[in-house]
Amino acid sequence: MEKALHMKRIELGVCYYPEHWPEELWEDDFKRMKDLGFSIIRMAEFAWTIFEPEEGRFSFDFFDSAINLAHQHGLKVVLGTPTATPPAWLTHRYPEVLNVSQAGTAYQHGMRRHYNYNSPVYRELSARITRKMAEHYKDHPAVIGWQIDNELNCEINVFYSEADHRAFRTWLQQKYGSLEQLNQAWGAVFWNQTYTDWEQVHLTRPTVSDSPNPHQALDEKRFISDSAISFAALQAEILRETAPNQWVTTNGLFGHLDSHEMTNELLDFFAYDSYPNFSSIYPDKGDKPLLDRKWSWNLSAVRSISPTFAVFEQQSGPGGWVNRMEQPAPKPGQMRLWTYQSIAHGADMVLYFRWRTANIGTEIYWHGINDYHNQPNRRVEEARKIGNELNSIGEKIAESRYQAQAAIVRDYDNEWDGELDHWHGPLAQESTMAWVKAFQYQHIPADALYIRKDMKAEELLKYKLLVYPHAAILTQETADLLSEYVQKGGKLILGARTGYKNEHGHCNMAPFPGPVSELCGISVEDFTRVGPYEEAPEIVLEWSEERRVRADHFNEALKVESPKAEILAVYENSYLAGKPALVKNPYGEGFAYYYGGAFNLQLAEELLKEAGLSKPVDWVKVPEKVELAVRKHQNGSTFVFLLNFDHSPQEIEVEKEAKDLLTGTIVSGSVTMNPFDVLILE
Ligand code: GLA
């Protein structure tokens, strides 16, 4: 079943922490929220000690007052289960609940996420607080839904407590059945790692050169994901059973967690926390950085989980902790731009983080809409503007769906294996960003498509073009799926290192690209990394005027195996000169392209032309700095979002008459978009 958020109108709201403020402020806060057009607040995700001040004694008075007052002011409430921050009494009495570093040091009380998913006592106490809260609020007229924990796997996504080592053994026993099978899957004969007793088996531990067994490291990530999901499942089951009329979700998109599986199995829809201003401290690399526009790609990944979704934390101010993340303030207009960025990509509920900047604790520099002084400021006014706008257009746009004819394909196994394996992981990052930029700058909206077990070719055939940059681990099942997609008319672009590993991460003893060799009509004859001090060779493109492209990072010399295959580019220099680098193979009704390198922006843009993909909206001319996104209703009504991510004005040309939804005016001809401005054309 599709995991979408179903809203009648796009709702705005804010994260609110009544426990951070004197009670006298609440009423004025709630009034002003309503006044800004907010309708939903999210609370309680870190407040365990208030609900359970000592083990087994529960108290709801504090949050009852806050929630009842919010209700009186017409606000709806999303409640977080408070398990991201275990109480001091709990970690003191049961230190075994603490998460432990790989080297064996326990993470102590004082921050958050200092617990592990597998401690039996933590699971029991988490289940109990969840049940108590659900029983208490299941019929509250203001409470619409639940957020499980907060950002599972954020801050830290590795776990090495005793309980984790033990649970890993059980997980491996279920997966492999015997030590012989485990030894085989982990290639344990290499360097004498063979296990003769289950007690010898652990999650990775500190090793010389920090080089653990790669097959074990891959299983570790799968195990962490399963552990997080099973911890969430414990709560989801209680919430479903106790509060069946309220929805259940969680917020995130973090490492070592299969958020697709979690959502499919447990949640009603997925929620994301969007902080585009991280780009000011961690900009994307390579040509023409996307900066905050890169969050559009993150939102595409979220959309691949939930076609319409919620943003539970939308950046509204400068971000910063006392000791890290020194971000500048969003410029005037950027908060609004980022809000519409989320909406353009499918968010039908957007809650800002946070109502007022905390004046205590680690996050005193993670600014909210209101400043400490609580006086009017420009962010409050910007929120008011957005509130007014959504008040008039929110109903129209809600439930419409983002439109894409192309997708970048991903999967968790390669993502996790590629974290350790430098021979394909970094290539995937380079190539993915190159393709994201190519789609962005060419104004071709694109999705993220995650390969799942038992996926049907129909799900792929929604797209004219799929790019699966470096599927090092490629099972026969996935290869068959991709072949069927191309057979039935799809266009597929693959890059170097495809298909050389099996699901354990062993290298296949067969010519690359293994199970898709026939589909691509080639084999890999020779290959090399471009060494750190070497000059990358160039390739010469057959079809393009921009004929020369640098083949960075990795070079495979291809051998054409199919008589129908066409060589589209050869190496110009290096010892590979003259060898095919890019081959197009007709297969059934479609085409497979194989490139023996990592993609850069230039090549990705040229390949889009060769594959014949053009932008879906031909009646607006949009400069590169402006993102184009399209949401469409089943009944056909279509909204073209134009988002100016630049600090300077941008000129667009509207070649017919279109309604500018935000102002209600008809526009045509040339239109100037101010810095960070948004246009929604109907
Ligand atoms: C995360 C958390 C919030 C807050 C913000 C800002 O997204 O969910 O509780 O900590 O980051 O740091």
Side-chain angles (χ1 to χ4, degrees):
M1 202 186 61
E2 189 188 69
K3 298 293 184 172
L5 168 66
H6 298 292
M7 301 294 290
K8 291 209 170 61
R9 37 170 290 166
I10 295 173
E11 303 278 356
L12 277 188
V14 72
C15 306
Y16 189 66
Y17 301 94
E19 69 275 28
H20 295 177
W21 309 112
E23 201 168 331
E24 301 79 72
L25 286 184
W26 297 356
E27 176 139 41
D28 177 58
D29 286 339
F30 294 152
K31 267 194 196 142
R32 286 195 292 131
M33 287 175 195
K34 274 308 270 190
D35 187 44
L36 296 183
F38 292 177
S39 52
I40 299 175
I41 56 177
R42 165 178 166 267
M43 54 167 72
E45 74 272 21
F46 302 119
W48 192 334
T49 308
I50 295 175
F51 291 108
E52 191 177 0
E54 56 187 79
E55 187 174 349
R57 182 165 70 78
F58 296 91
S59 165
F60 295 95
D61 298 349
F62 182 89
F63 273 93
D64 284 354
S65 309
I67 294 172
N68 291 339
L69 193 64
H71 180 53
Q72 279 169 32
H73 287 87
L75 293 163
K76 300 285 181 207
V77 175
V78 179
L79 282 179
T81 66
T83 51
T85 45
W89 58 254
L90 194 159
T91 52
H92 180 70
R93 181 177 288 175
Y94 306 106
E96 68 269 35
V97 311
L98 295 171
N99 187 15
V100 172
S101 73
Q102 196 189 42
T105 311
Y107 293 105
Q108 299 296 333
H109 207 85
M111 220 279 260
R112 61 180 180 189
R113 305 213 67 73
H114 44 287
Y115 70 90
N116 69 71
Y117 297 125
N118 287 302
S119 148
V121 59
Y122 197 61
R123 293 175 74 98
E124 191 187 314
L125 295 175
S126 296
R128 186 168 66 176
I129 185 68
T130 301
R131 186 179 301 283
K132 290 283 178 192
M133 285 177 69
E135 281 167 351
H136 191 82
Y137 291 112
K138 66 181 166 43
D139 297 319
H140 197 291
V143 177
I144 49 175
W146 294 87
Q147 169 192 304
I148 293 173
D149 199 281
N150 185 67
E151 297 192 331
L152 295 163
N153 282 8
C154 171
E155 313 294 351
I156 190 155
N157 57 25
V158 286
F159 302 84
Y160 301 102
S161 73
E162 257 324 293
D164 295 309
H165 287 293
R166 265 199 302 275
F168 188 44
R169 269 170 226 138
T170 310
W171 185 90
L172 291 168
Q173 280 159 356
Q174 275 162 11
K175 178 164 177 160
Y176 294 113
S178 69
L179 277 176
E180 289 67 46
Q181 294 287 327
L182 174 74
N183 282 323
Q184 194 145 33
W186 285 6
V189 68
F190 183 81
W191 283 349
N192 198 39
Q193 291 167 13
T194 305
Y195 297 100
T196 55
D197 189 312
W198 282 102
E199 286 304 305
Q200 299 157 3
V201 179
H202 292 85
L203 292 153
T204 59
R205 291 181 294 176
T207 52
V208 176
S209 302
D210 208 6
S211 293
N213 176 319
H215 319 299
Q216 176 189 13
L218 175 58
D219 267 347
E220 175 171 307
K221 283 157 193 144
R222 292 167 170 153
F223 163 76
I224 291 171
S225 177
D226 283 356
S227 298
I229 294 173
S230 103
F231 181 72
L234 193 75
Q235 299 191 24
E237 277 156 27
I238 293 167
L239 294 168
R240 295 264 177 234
E241 177 194 311
T242 317
N245 299 324
Q246 294 159 340
W247 44 249
V248 179
T249 184
T250 191
N251 55 332
L253 206 62
F254 294 96
H256 307 168
L257 175 53
D258 183 337
S259 297
H260 291 75
E261 182 181 332
M262 176 173 67
T263 306
N264 289 340
E265 287 184 6
L266 311 178
L267 309 178
D268 289 300
F269 59 88
F270 193 59
Y272 177 62
D273 297 341
S274 189
Y275 288 101
N277 222 16
F278 270 117
S279 60
S280 63
I281 49 173
Y282 311 122
D284 56 301
K285 297 194 201 97
D287 294 344
K288 298 197 211 170
L290 284 164
L291 301 172
D292 49 340
R293 192 168 167 186
K294 194 205 143 210
W295 264 250
S296 296
W297 169 240
N298 302 358
L299 292 158
S300 303
V302 176
R303 194 173 59 239
S304 75
I305 308 170
S306 269
T308 46
F309 54 88
V311 170
F312 274 179
E313 298 180 16
Q314 177 74 56
Q315 182 147 23
S316 70
W321 284 13
V322 168
N323 59 339
R324 58 190 191 116
M325 301 189 282
E326 301 88 352
Q327 298 181 13
K331 311 287 178 287
Q334 268 189 327
M335 167 184 166
R336 176 170 172 266
L337 172 72
W338 296 333
T339 304
Y340 284 107
Q341 177 183 33
S342 293
I343 294 172
H345 281 272
D348 279 356
M349 183 197 298
V350 180
L351 314 182
Y352 293 103
F353 189 86
R354 47 184 282 160
W355 174 246
R356 186 168 39 241
T357 313
N359 65 336
I360 45 166
T362 303
E363 289 193 344
I364 50 180
Y365 306 117
W366 205 287
H367 296 74
I369 296 175
N370 288 276
D371 289 305
Y372 317 109
H373 59 51
N374 223 15
Q375 303 295 310
N377 69 16
R378 73 166 161 94
R379 296 197 298 276
V380 173
E381 285 321 300
E382 203 166 311
R384 186 187 313 283
K385 177 172 171 151
I386 304 164
N388 285 337
E389 287 170 349
L390 287 174
N391 202 15
S392 65
I393 65 166
E395 216 166 299
K396 247 189 165 163
I397 296 172
E399 287 264 30
S400 60
R401 298 296 170 90
Y402 187 90
Q403 303 294 306
Q405 323 168 11
I408 300 173
V409 184
R410 323 180 66 170
D411 67 276
Y412 288 101
D413 269 354
N414 278 302
E415 210 166 294
W416 296 339
D417 191 60
E419 270 181 39
L420 179 70
D421 187 339
H422 290 191
W423 291 72
H424 72 88
L427 301 189
Q429 285 170 23
E430 291 282 339
S431 294
T432 301
M433 280 323 293
W435 278 101
V436 169
K437 288 176 190 175
F439 287 127
Q440 276 286 343
Y441 296 144
Q442 297 295 315
H443 303 115
I444 299 174
D447 279 345
L449 177 78
Y450 279 72
I451 295 291
R452 319 283 316 145
K453 271 225 157 338
D454 304 323
M455 214 168 187
K456 298 276 173 293
E458 281 57 50
E459 292 174 67
L460 280 61
L461 283 159
K462 289 191 288 203
Y463 302 102
K464 289 187 188 153
L465 176 74
L466 293 178
V467 184
Y468 198 179
H470 307 286
I473 296 178
L474 187 66
T475 61
Q476 189 61 48
E477 189 192 340
T478 303
D480 292 345
L481 179 75
L482 297 173
S483 301
E484 189 182 342
Y485 165 72
V486 179
Q487 176 79 45
K488 292 185 172 160
K491 289 180 180 166
L492 174 68
I493 299 179
L494 302 170
R497 311 302 276 147
T498 296
Y500 78 97
K501 283 184 157 190
N502 72 8
E503 75 269 24
H504 301 301
H506 303 179
C507 293
N508 294 322
M509 295 179 67
F512 307 162
V516 285
S517 292
E518 195 205 320
L519 169 62
C520 299
I522 52 117
S523 61
V524 174
E525 187 183 316
D526 194 359
F527 61 88
T528 180
R529 267 197 97 115
V530 179
Y533 304 105
E534 267 184 323
E535 183 100 354
E538 286 174 316
I539 58 169
V540 184
L541 311 183
E542 286 297 320
W543 74 93
S544 150
E545 289 172 9
E546 297 278 325
R547 284 175 49 88
R548 279 157 189 280
V549 175
R550 236 193 23 239
D552 293 314
H553 305 299
F554 212 92
N555 306 136
E556 294 175 344
L558 310 182
K559 184 167 162 220
V560 174
E561 305 279 3
S562 155
K564 287 186 275 171
E566 187 188 343
I567 298 171
L568 291 187
V570 293
Y571 290 99
E572 166 82 344
N573 31 40
S574 90
Y575 75 97
L576 299 174
K579 297 277 185 192
L582 174 63
V583 169
K584 175 181 180 182
N585 190 40
Y587 187 86
E589 291 167 38
F591 292 95
Y593 295 79
Y594 189 97
Y595 172 51
F599 299 91
N600 58 25
L601 175 57
Q602 190 194 354
L603 180 60
E605 289 190 326
E606 293 303 323
L607 273 166
L608 280 180
K609 288 184 212 153
E610 152 52 52
L613 223 71
S614 50
K615 63 176 186 166
V617 184
D618 55 7
W619 49 269
V620 259
K621 295 248 171 320
V622 192
E624 225 173 46
K625 303 243 161 114
V626 173
E627 175 171 358
L628 179 146
V630 181
R631 282 186 71 162
K632 189 173 173 185
H633 273 300
Q634 262 179 346
N635 68 14
S637 54
T638 304
F639 311 103
V640 177
F641 286 74
L642 299 175
L643 308 165
N644 180 10
F645 282 89
D646 204 59
H647 297 240
S648 57
Q650 299 291 317
E651 294 296 321
I652 61 159
E653 277 296 321
V654 185
E655 289 172 350
K656 63 176 196 186
E657 293 202 331
K659 184 168 172 196
D660 170 3
L661 266 194
L662 291 168
T663 60
T665 55
I666 300 294
V667 291
S668 81
S670 99
V671 179
T672 305
M673 291 184 75
N674 288 325
F676 312 122
D677 207 359
V678 178
L679 268 182
I680 307 176
L681 301 178
E682 190 180 7

